[in-house]
Amino acid sequence: MRYYILNAMLLVFFIPTAKAQNSGNKSINLLTQKKGVSIRALSIPNENTIWASGSRGSMAISEDGGKNFIWKQIQGYEDRDFRSLHAWNKWEAIVAAIAAPAIVLKTKDGGESWYKVYENADTLIFLDAIHFKDSLNGTIVGDPINQKLFLLTSNDKGEHWQETAAAYFKSALKEGEAFFASSNSNIATANGSTFFVTGGLSSRLWINGTAQDLPMVKGKTSTGANSIAINPSKYSMVIVGGDFTKKENAQNNITGFEFSSYAKPKWNSEVSLKYKSLSKWVLNKKLGNPHGYKSSVVFINNKWLIACGTSGVDLSKTKGKKWELISTESFHVVQKQAGKQAVFLAGGDGRIGYLNFDSF
């Protein structure tokens, strides 16, 4: 939402483990920092490989599970903000810059060189997030243009992108409805469906082009859903957000759904019952509120969740029913480490942190 590598500048950062500010004894280990860089996207394709991207054309890459990070700038794009990122392995990754001209770049050599796979010079373009449901099929979402949400898809590992036809959207866009480019996590896929969440004056969950109002704070450009997470078994969905101008406000900052193949429709009369997939996700009314505004959420396993934002970091061991504030440190995005009960977090000043749950 609105409101050529520099080889000579390659720097390897290994910062002795520091402790992020926390409430209690569950400390977040700070692994690296880079002043003046805001990280909004993390991608962790395997246990050892971590990619991060953000402002000033900056990338941070680790090939050893976060022990060391290499910082790079993408030559020619030093003033761009890459808030969308997906990595397949330590060699291949794709990034998208948010505003006009919208640029999508891909690398096959670990970020040593990049080539353009998409460009859009429309002055209204604003790309918010990228998500691949498998190695080949990806989606990029963007803010509305001409009263239609902007959606790109690729079926060849991001080499080519096509704009989705207007017929895909079965629900009309509401006034002031858009996306937040806060954590590259407002898209998800599960059980054959594609989901994304909008915020602003209206906040809705979209399933395969059909929208449902969310019981979350709304009515301002700073309010609504920011991030969506689905657990590994694909039966629980949690959505977080709030009002980023009131980071301590915990009211209506979360909602969720449970998947059931036999559930009766729970949607309002505006949604036609012929869209059978909607009847399988039932509103979860048992969720508790995390502490304040949250821009990112992820499942650690089928029951444990972690959410972060400018208000701090919260942990739930009960699928979101109860939350514990485990750190008051601000982070924009959190992602699970592949193959481990652990997460990486990233935020302002290039801070990348690590939290392992083996001792919890």
Side-chain angles (χ1 to χ4, degrees):
M1 184 180 287
R2 289 172 180 79
Y3 320 107
Y4 331 165
I5 301 295
L6 297 179
N7 290 317
M9 297 182 64
L10 292 185
L11 295 173
V12 178
F13 281 74
F14 177 58
I15 295 180
T17 298
K19 302 294 185 183
Q21 184 182 7
N22 66 89
S23 57
N25 58 3
K26 300 174 178 66
S27 299
I28 297 170
N29 294 329
L30 291 180
L31 304 175
T32 186
Q33 303 178 69
K34 191 169 181 65
K35 190 172 180 61
V37 173
S38 176
I39 299 176
R40 294 283 185 172
L42 285 169
S43 187
I44 308 171
N46 57 59
E47 183 177 322
N48 294 318
T49 305
I50 301 98
W51 289 70
S53 67
S55 61
R56 298 173 63 182
S58 297
M59 309 286 304
I61 306 168
S62 176
E63 298 179 8
D64 57 10
K67 294 178 181 177
N68 298 276
F69 279 89
I70 298 174
W71 283 90
K72 304 181 180 184
Q73 270 187 309
I74 304 178
Q75 188 174 23
Y77 299 93
E78 295 88 349
D79 62 342
R80 302 307 306 273
D81 195 353
F82 291 101
R83 296 193 179 191
S84 301
L85 164 71
H86 176 82
W88 289 269
N89 48 56
K90 69 178 182 179
W91 304 112
E92 294 179 281
I94 193 166
V95 292
I98 51 175
I103 301 289
V104 182
L105 305 175
K106 189 176 178 181
T107 181
K108 292 183 177 180
D109 56 11
E112 292 296 320
S113 62
W114 298 81
Y115 61 96
K116 191 185 303 181
V117 293
Y118 180 80
E119 181 174 8
N120 190 322
D122 193 312
T123 57
L124 297 178
I125 196 79
F126 196 95
L127 302 182
D128 297 275
I130 186 170
H131 172 79
F132 275 78
K133 68 178 182 180
D134 54 39
S135 62
L136 295 177
N137 295 280
T139 302
I140 296 175
V141 296
D143 281 353
I145 298 177
N146 298 324
Q147 297 302 306
K148 182 176 80 71
L149 292 174
F150 187 81
L151 208 62
L152 294 171
T153 58
S154 171
N155 59 11
D156 60 1
K157 213 173 185 180
E159 295 291 335
H160 302 89
W161 294 89
Q162 301 80 38
E163 185 175 351
T164 301
Y168 174 81
F169 299 98
K170 304 171 185 70
S171 298
L173 186 71
K174 290 190 176 183
E175 182 181 358
E177 182 180 11
F179 294 104
F180 288 106
S182 55
S183 60
N184 190 47
S185 60
N186 54 23
I187 319 173
T189 51
N191 305 322
S193 295
T194 298
F195 310 87
F196 45 86
V197 289
T198 53
L201 302 188
S202 295
S203 187
R204 296 196 287 177
L205 169 67
W206 293 72
I207 305 179
N208 297 330
T210 298
Q212 163 67 26
D213 286 335
L214 293 174
M216 297 186 72
V217 60
K218 62 192 73 175
K220 295 165 52 179
T221 57
S222 57
T223 58
N226 278 236
S227 179
I228 179 173
I230 297 175
N231 72 352
S233 294
K234 311 299 183 184
Y235 63 78
S236 290
M237 176 193 302
V238 170
I239 300 164
V240 299
D243 185 343
F244 66 74
T245 65
K246 298 178 180 179
K247 69 176 185 177
E248 303 301 331
N249 187 357
Q251 202 169 26
N252 296 327
N253 63 349
I254 188 171
T255 191
F257 297 87
E258 294 290 310
F259 183 80
S260 175
S261 60
Y262 57 82
K264 295 180 180 180
K266 299 290 185 180
W267 308 88
N268 62 41
S269 59
E270 294 178 1
V271 180
S272 171
L273 296 183
K274 70 180 181 179
Y275 303 124
K276 296 180 181 179
S277 63
L278 292 181
S279 69
K280 296 180 180 180
W281 287 96
V282 180
L283 186 67
N284 182 357
K285 298 180 180 180
K286 298 179 180 180
L287 297 178
N289 294 93
H291 297 79
Y293 165 74
K294 302 300 179 190
S295 55
S296 185
V297 63
V298 68
F299 275 95
I300 303 164
N301 52 45
N302 279 325
K303 291 187 176 181
W304 287 33
L305 283 152
I306 188 165
C308 69
T310 52
S311 62
V313 181
D314 281 63
L315 173 68
S316 173
K317 299 179 182 179
T318 56
K319 292 201 303 182
K321 293 179 182 178
K322 295 181 180 179
W323 293 87
E324 175 190 3
L325 182 67
I326 60 173
S327 174
T328 56
E329 186 81 357
S330 169
F331 288 98
H332 298 317
V333 55
V334 57
Q335 286 294 328
K336 183 182 181 297
Q337 184 180 20
K340 287 196 173 185
Q341 299 293 301
V343 297
F344 288 88
L345 305 100
D349 283 332
R351 292 173 303 109
I352 298 178
Y354 181 71
L355 188 57
N356 191 306
F357 293 95
D358 288 342
S359 61
F360 277 60

